[in-house]
């Protein structure tokens, strides 16, 4: 690989394919993110505080429903990538898909039914609201249960599309569905009335379309020329060989949901529904960091799985480190911008000084925590591709033992601020403690260069600029001035970020590059990084 190449190693066609996947994913993610930025304040303004809090609770239910995934979605994604890498035969892959589809259907129906039956208890005993009528809240929760089950069922099909690396199609699909979910909802409310019932019925219709469309695309991807297709059967036997990997994924996915959603669940029962909407708004803005970096991770995981299946350990490590560099500079720019401009950004977005003042401290803490989170997640990609998640399993268990009681106590005592401090602290410990240990066990000698060469050097320039900008005094309630300040800070941080990217392109090839390694010797450090 040329030292000027910043994209992953491999054949020219593969580099172009990976680049195209990332660009397509980013285009879709940017569109969906900007759409949410524009629409959510309109929901708050048009529907009111309590209905908006109910919408936030809808998002929370979708997250917690992921506990039922049992590791099946990432498993089918990985197996699809392995099939396209030549590891699985078409018949074996079809048998596996049919078995997993059966499990998905049963779990979706069971989970949706339980949530449907629990809607009365949630409305009467858990949520705190005053303006909304109880029957209207119960009906909204019942519609939510059906919508959540349908959207979760689409995860199986989405996993196949991701594993096949058809990100261009998926990006366009996501953009269309987001348009139907957000702006089109106002058309329904304009025609039928601005009520929670109309809103959630609209979401149910979109969920039906989404699941149906994904199913059609998935069956178009599945191999068609399979001998004796009629003899595939409905046995769960094909799942047995991947059961260990799947259950490990299930546990770690459950831990992830518990870790990231426990504070929101606790606060949904502590805070009035209107104030819960403010908290959720701050957390939502902070989640933009993970949304902006997720397209690279989505493209990275199936590519790593494929390289490992092909035995290309040189390219495997090189793409791992290069993706770390790219995500580091992007995450640093967005995180620092949000930390510096938390209150002006919220004021410019919502037009509410009260909301901005309440949510800004929470936004700063969650933004900083999420910036560390996207970096600490990299070793999972390493283990996922190799199908060995032992260390991720252990780390997740330790994480939940430490985090769960801490976030419960902090949220009950200090509300959103307490939950924010716990979130930041746990991500500091995880990145600088556990990640170092995992790298030491899996790739001895990798971590020091990964941390200093790929992360710290990547974020040094934006961090220095941010430290200087943080001292700039700014106080205003004018939305235009606040927007101008945020844009100026973002532009000021973008400049060192672009300089950093150019410098990284000129750096010697990182650990694992074929320019410095003999592929027959396996991965190790070149003299340039010793």
């Amino acid at each position: 690989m040329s030292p000027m190449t910043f994209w992953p190693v491999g054949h020219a066609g593969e580099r172009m394919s990976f680049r195209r996947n990332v660009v397509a994913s980013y285009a879709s993610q940017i569109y969906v993110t900007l759409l949410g930025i524009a629409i959510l304040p309109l929901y708050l303004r048009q529907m009111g505080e309590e209905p908006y809090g109910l919408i936030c609770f809808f998002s929370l239910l979708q997250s917690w429903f992921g506990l039922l995934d049992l590791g099946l979605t990432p498993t089918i994604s990985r197996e699809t990538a392995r099939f396209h890498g030549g590891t699985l035969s078409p018949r074996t892959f079809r048998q596996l898909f049919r078995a997993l589809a059966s499990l998905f259907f049963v779990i979706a129906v069971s989970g949706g039914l339980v949530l449907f039956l629990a809607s009365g208890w949630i409305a009467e005993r858990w949520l705190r609201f005053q303006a909304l009528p109880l029957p209207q809240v119960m009906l909204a929760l019942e519609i939510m249960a059906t919508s959540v089950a349908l959207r979760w069922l689409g995860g199986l099909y989405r996993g196949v599309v991701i594993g096949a690396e058809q990100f261009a199609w998926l990006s366009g699909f996501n953009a269309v569905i987001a348009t139907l979910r957000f702006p089109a909802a106002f058309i329904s409310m304009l025609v039928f009335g601005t009520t929670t019932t109309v809103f959630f019925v609209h979401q149910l219709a979109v969920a039906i379309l989404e699941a149906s469309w994904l199913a059609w695309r998935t069956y178009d991807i599945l191999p068609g020329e399979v001998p004796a297709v009629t003899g595939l059967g409905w046995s769960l036997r094909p799942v047995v060989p991947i059961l260990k990997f799947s259950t490990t994924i299930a546990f770690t996915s459950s831990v992830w949901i518990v870790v990231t959603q426990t504070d929101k669940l606790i606060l949904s029962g502590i805070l009035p529904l209107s104030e819960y909407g403010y908290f959720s708004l701050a957390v939502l803005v902070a989640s933009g960091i993970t949304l902006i970096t997720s397209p690279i991770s989505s493209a990275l995981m199936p590519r790593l799985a494929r390289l490992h299946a092909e035995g290309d350990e040189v390219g495997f490590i090189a793409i791992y480190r290069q993706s770390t560099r790219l995500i580091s500079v992007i995450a640093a720019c967005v995180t620092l911008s949000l930390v510096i401009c938390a209150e002006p950004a919220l004021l410019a977005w919502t037009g509410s000084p009260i909301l901005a003042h309440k949510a800004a401290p929470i936004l700063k803490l969650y933004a900083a925590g999420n910036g560390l989170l996207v970096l600490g997640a990299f070793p999972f990609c390493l283990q996922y591709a190799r199908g060995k998640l032992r260390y991720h399993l252990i780390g997740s268990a330790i994480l939940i033992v430490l985090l769960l009681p801490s976030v419960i106590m902090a949220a009950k005592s200090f509300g959103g601020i307490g939950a924010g401090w716990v979130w930041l602290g746990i991500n500091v410990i995880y990145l600088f403690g556990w990640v170092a240990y995992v790298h030491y066990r899996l790739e001895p000698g990798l971590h020091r260069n990964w941390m200093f060469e790929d992360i710290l050097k990547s974020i040094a320039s934006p961090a220095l600029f941010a430290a200087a900008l943080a001292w700039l005094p700014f106080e205003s309630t004018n939305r235009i001035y606040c927007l101008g300040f945020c844009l100026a800070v973002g532009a000021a941080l973008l400049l060192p970020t672009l300089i950093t990217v150019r410098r990284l392109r000129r750096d010697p090839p990182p650990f694992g590059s074929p320019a410095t390694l003999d592929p027959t010797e396996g991965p190790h450090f070149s003299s340039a990084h010793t």
Side-chain angles (χ1 to χ4, degrees), residues 181-205:
R181 289 182 62 200
F182 296 120
F186 283 102
I187 299 177
S188 296
M189 289 189 288
L190 181 64
V191 175
F192 300 104
T194 308
T195 66
T196 55
T197 301
V198 172
F199 175 84
F200 287 112
V201 168
H202 177 90
Q203 298 303 314
L204 175 59

Side-chain angles (χ1 to χ4, degrees), residues 507-530:
D507 273 359
F511 169 63
S513 167
T516 57
L517 293 181
D518 179 354
T520 63
E521 295 180 2
H524 60 278
F525 281 104
S526 67
S527 58
H529 294 277
T530 303

